[in-house]
């Protein structure tokens, strides 16, 4: 996996600085600390120049990575880490959602080729994106799971693409992952 150097974070809070903007900034600083990025500069703005009714937040992370030619694989295995949650389900299951440290551990496994957080369109959609990126065709191991079309809101599921030789190491390090698909040459 490529190493990414994060240079800075900027945020926009669609609300006044006091009290909402300050709470948004405090929350961002807490997340940066959890990710071992507390020393990064954090810049941003609020909407003190106009009246707002709702609150919105935008976050941009600036990073740099060395470009490398993507290796072409003839087959990969795709595992699911996590459960699709959205809204209040996320708050109710915070202690079971994977953390930054687990993502870093996954990045250390030599056979991990890709990590893809699942968003609002769900596992099935992200699997299509992963297959396209890898220029492979998905063959589902689990075919009738209702979770695959559920929103995974704020990335409560991570798809892990690995070379088959890394299967035992992944399952040993992360016993809760489940094999959901194989990606094969078209």
């Amino acid at each position: 996996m490529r190493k990414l150097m994060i240079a800075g974070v900027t945020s926009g809070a669609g609300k006044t600085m006091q009290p909402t903007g300050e709470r948004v900034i405090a929350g961002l600083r807490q997340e940066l600390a959890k990710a071992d990025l507390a020393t990064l500069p954090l810049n941003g703005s609020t909407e003190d120049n106009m009246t707002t009714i709702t609150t919105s937040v935008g976050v941009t992370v600036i990073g740099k990575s060395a470009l490398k030619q993507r290796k072409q694989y003839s087959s990969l295995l795709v595992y699911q880490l996590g459960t699709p949650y959205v809204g209040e389900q996320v708050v109710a299951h915070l202690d079971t959602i994977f953390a930054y440290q687990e993502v870093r551990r996954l990045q250390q496994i030599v056979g991990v080729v890709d990590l893809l957080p699942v968003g609002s369109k769900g596992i099935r959609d992200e699997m299509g994106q992963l297959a396209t990126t890898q220029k492979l065709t998905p063959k589902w191991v689990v075919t009738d799971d209702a979770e695959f079309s559920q929103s995974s809101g704020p990335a409560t599921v991570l798809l892990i693409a690995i070379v088959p030789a890394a299967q035992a190491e992944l399952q040993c390090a992360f016993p809760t992952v489940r094999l959901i698909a194989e990606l094969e040459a078209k």
Side-chain angles (χ1 to χ4, degrees), residues 84 117-127 129 147-154:
V118 177
S120 62
K121 293 182 181 175
I123 293 170
R124 192 172 311 281
D125 183 76
E126 298 294 354
M127 179 68 74
Q129 298 294 324
E147 282 188 353
F148 291 169
S149 56
Q150 281 181 248
S151 172
S152 189

Side-chain angles (χ1 to χ4, degrees), residues 34-51:
K34 284 183 195 174
D36 294 328
L37 299 170
T39 60
L40 280 179
L42 175 61
N43 190 2
S45 66
T46 58
E47 295 297 340
D48 290 300
N49 60 334
M50 59 189 251
T51 303

Side-chain angles (χ1 to χ4, degrees), residues 10-22:
T10 184
S11 69
K15 204 66 171 168
T16 58
M17 178 60 94
Q18 310 203 328
T20 310
E22 289 173 336

